[in-house]
Amino acid sequence: MDNYNLLQENIRKRIEVTDDEISYFIFLLQQKKYSRKELILRESEISHNFTFIVSGCVKSYLIDTKGEEHILTIAPSDWWITDINSFVSGTPGNLFLEALEPTTALLLSREKQELLLAKIPKFEKYFRILTEKAFAVSQQRIIDYMSLTALERLEKFVASYPSVISSLTQQQIASYIGVTPSFFSRMIKGKKIF
Amino acid sequence: MDNYNLLQENIRKRIEVTDDEISYFIFLLQQKKYSRKELILRESEISHNFTFIVSGCVKSYLIDTKGEEHILTIAPSDWWITDINSFVSGTPGNLFLEALEPTTALLLSREKQELLLAKIPKFEKYFRILTEKAFAVSQQRIIDYMSLTALERLEKFVASYPSVISSLTQQQIASYIGVTPSFFSRMIKGKKIF
C-alpha cells in the first residue's frame, strides 16, 4: 500500500472521504515504473491517462517545426500530469511526456475516472479543485511570460521547484523559461542563482 | 428570465439538471450591466466573482512595471471569466477586468458558489468540466507562444474569436498575441487577415 499513501494524503487534503471510497479509487489505478528518459506519451498519441507522480519527475514538452524542444510543465512527486487537451477531447495531442528520473506513477484512465465519478460523485470536487489550481498555475505562467524578464522567470522557477532543479539540465531550464540555451548561459554568467 | 436562458443552455450542455436546480443556481446570481471601458475588477483587488457574460465582451489584462498592457483572456458572450488565482486563493490579484462593449453579466461569488455546491453537488461536475476546458485553452495558449510565429498566432486568434475581432483595436490584438503595436503594424502590412 505504500505507494498509495501519498495520493491518499493528496486527496484527504482536499475532500473528506471514507477508507472504502479511497480503496475504490486505488482499485481503479494502474501502477507503472519508468526509467530515466523513458517516453510515457508521444506526440500524435491520445493521452488516455491522468498520471499521479509517486516518486521521480516527469516533463511534458513539444517539439516545434524546427525540431526544438519546449517544456510546458514539470511534475515532481505529489503532482498529476497529462496532456489536458488530448485527455479532455480524446483526440491525438501534440505533447510528449518523459520521465526525467526513475519514476513511479499511478495512472487513472479517462474511462476509469468516469467510472469513479459516476460511482462516487464526491470525487468531482477533488478533480474540480485540482483543475482550478492547475488552471491558476497555467494562467500565472502566461502572466509571467508577459510581464517578467527571463531572469525574473528563472528566479521564480528556482524558488517554485527547488526539488526539481537538480534533475534538470541547463538546457531544460532554459526551455522551461522560454529562452535559448546560449541566451541562458549569457544571462546567468557570474550570477548565483542555483 | 431571458438573460438566464444562455446560462441555462450552457449548463444543460454539460450536465443533467432539473428546473428546480437551475432555479436555485439562478437565485444565487447577481445581474450587472457595464458600459464600454468600465472596469469590473482592478489590480490588487480580490476577484470575488466568477462572471458569466450574457452579452457584450470582457477582457482580463495586466499592466507591467513599464505601464504596458498585456491581455490575458477575452471572454465573449456564453463564457465565464475571473482572475482565477485571486478567485481560488481569496487574495488580491494582479489582473484588471474591463468591458470592451456594453456588457450584461451574471456574477456568482465564491461564497455563493460554495453554497450551491454544498446544496447541489452535481454542479461540481459542471465546474470541473468548465475548468478542464479553461485549463486546456490556457495550456494551448502557452504551446502557441512557444511554437508558433506571431503571424500564425494572429491567424489562429482571428479564427478562434471571429465575433470579438470587431470590438478590438489593433493595439489590443497585438497585446493578446504578445507583440508590440509597431511590430504588429509591420507584420500585417499588405496581408489580408481580417
Side-chain angles (χ1 to χ4, degrees):
Chain A
M1 272 293 284
D2 255 21
N3 279 339
Y4 299 103
N5 284 348
L6 191 66
L7 175 61
Q8 197 166 323
E9 279 172 37
N10 188 299
I11 295 168
R12 290 196 194 274
K13 261 188 280 178
R14 292 170 174 98
I15 58 168
E16 281 181 31
V17 276
T18 65
D19 290 347
D20 280 355
E21 288 163 342
I22 290 271
S23 295
Y24 184 64
F25 194 147
I26 287 171
F27 162 73
L28 297 173
L29 298 168
Q30 185 190 2
Q31 190 178 145
K32 281 219 175 178
K33 287 182 186 291
Y34 302 99
S35 46
R36 193 169 114 79
K37 297 202 174 186
E38 186 172 343
L39 278 179
I40 299 169
L41 180 77
R42 281 173 183 78
E43 183 192 28
S44 306
E45 289 180 353
I46 297 172
S47 184
H48 291 292
N49 299 301
F50 210 28
T51 300
F52 181 79
I53 313 300
V54 175
S55 63
C57 188
V58 171
K59 66 173 173 175
S60 73
Y61 62 99
L62 75 146
I63 307 279
D64 70 17
T65 49
K66 291 174 203 150
E68 277 180 47
E69 175 184 325
H70 303 274
I71 296 180
L72 184 65
T73 49
I74 293 174
S77 66
D78 203 25
W79 284 55
W80 287 94
I81 190 168
T82 187
D83 176 339
I84 187 72
N85 272 290
S86 174
F87 184 73
V88 166
S89 65
T91 58
N94 46 16
L95 296 180
F96 294 81
L97 292 188
E98 183 184 321
L100 287 166
E101 303 172 4
T103 294
T104 301
L106 302 172
L107 279 54
L108 180 68
S109 69
R110 187 64 159 176
E111 202 183 10
K112 294 280 172 63
Q113 188 196 31
E114 278 166 14
L115 245 174
L116 174 70
L117 296 173
K119 187 156 175 183
I120 312 173
K122 73 163 78 164
F123 282 111
E124 285 285 0
K125 181 176 179 180
Y126 173 66
F127 287 106
R128 193 255 304 167
I129 293 172
L130 272 191
T131 313
E132 275 181 355
K133 178 70 185 161
F135 176 43
V137 168
S138 178
Q139 291 288 88
Q140 189 58 47
R141 183 139 181 236
I142 298 173
I143 291 170
D144 291 350
Y145 259 104
M146 288 172 159
S147 61
L148 300 183
T149 65
L151 187 60
E152 287 166 338
R153 293 202 297 275
L154 173 61
E155 286 164 347
K156 195 164 175 181
F157 177 71
V158 172
S160 306
Y161 295 87
S163 66
V164 171
I165 295 295
S166 60
S167 330
L168 299 175
T169 61
Q170 285 203 2
Q171 195 166 0
Q172 286 167 337
I173 299 172
S175 161
Y176 184 86
I177 64 165
V179 297
T180 63
S182 59
F183 181 92
F184 187 83
S185 300
R186 289 199 302 278
M187 182 174 80
I188 63 168
K189 207 172 175 184
K191 294 196 179 69
K192 277 189 189 163
I193 288 168
F194 301 104
Chain B
M1 271 294 283
D2 256 20
N3 278 340
Y4 299 103
N5 284 349
L6 191 66
L7 175 61
Q8 196 166 322
E9 279 172 36
N10 188 299
I11 295 168
R12 290 195 194 273
K13 260 188 280 178
R14 291 170 173 98
I15 58 169
E16 281 181 30
V17 276
T18 65
D19 290 348
D20 280 355
E21 288 163 341
I22 289 270
S23 296
Y24 184 64
F25 194 146
I26 287 171
F27 162 74
L28 297 173
L29 297 168
Q30 186 190 0
Q31 190 178 145
K32 281 219 174 178
K33 286 182 187 291
Y34 302 99
S35 46
R36 193 170 114 80
K37 296 202 175 184
E38 187 172 342
L39 277 179
I40 298 170
L41 180 77
R42 280 174 184 76
E43 182 191 30
S44 304
E45 289 180 352
I46 297 172
S47 184
H48 292 292
N49 299 302
F50 209 29
T51 300
F52 181 78
I53 313 301
V54 176
S55 62
C57 187
V58 170
K59 66 173 172 175
S60 73
Y61 61 101
L62 76 147
I63 307 279
D64 69 18
T65 50
K66 291 175 203 151
E68 278 181 46
E69 175 185 325
H70 303 275
I71 297 180
L72 184 64
T73 49
I74 292 174
S77 65
D78 203 26
W79 285 55
W80 288 94
I81 190 168
T82 187
D83 177 340
I84 187 72
N85 273 289
S86 174
F87 183 73
V88 167
S89 66
T91 59
N94 46 16
L95 295 181
F96 294 82
L97 293 188
E98 184 185 320
L100 287 167
E101 303 172 5
T103 293
T104 300
L106 301 172
L107 278 55
L108 179 69
S109 70
R110 186 65 158 176
E111 204 183 8
K112 294 280 171 62
Q113 189 197 30
E114 277 166 15
L115 245 173
L116 174 71
L117 296 173
K119 188 156 174 183
I120 313 173
K122 73 164 76 162
F123 282 111
E124 285 285 0
K125 181 176 179 180
Y126 173 65
F127 287 107
R128 193 255 304 166
I129 291 171
L130 272 191
T131 313
E132 274 180 356
K133 178 70 185 161
F135 175 42
V137 169
S138 179
Q139 291 286 90
Q140 189 59 46
R141 183 138 181 236
I142 299 173
I143 291 170
D144 290 348
Y145 259 105
M146 289 171 158
S147 61
L148 300 183
T149 65
L151 187 60
E152 287 167 338
R153 292 202 297 276
L154 173 61
E155 286 165 345
K156 195 165 175 180
F157 178 71
V158 173
S160 306
Y161 294 88
S163 66
V164 171
I165 294 295
S166 60
S167 331
L168 299 174
T169 62
Q170 284 203 1
Q171 195 165 359
Q172 286 167 336
I173 299 171
S175 162
Y176 185 86
I177 64 164
V179 297
T180 63
S182 60
F183 181 92
F184 187 83
S185 300
R186 288 197 304 278
M187 183 173 80
I188 62 168
K189 208 174 174 183
K191 292 194 180 71
K192 277 190 190 163
I193 288 169
F194 302 105

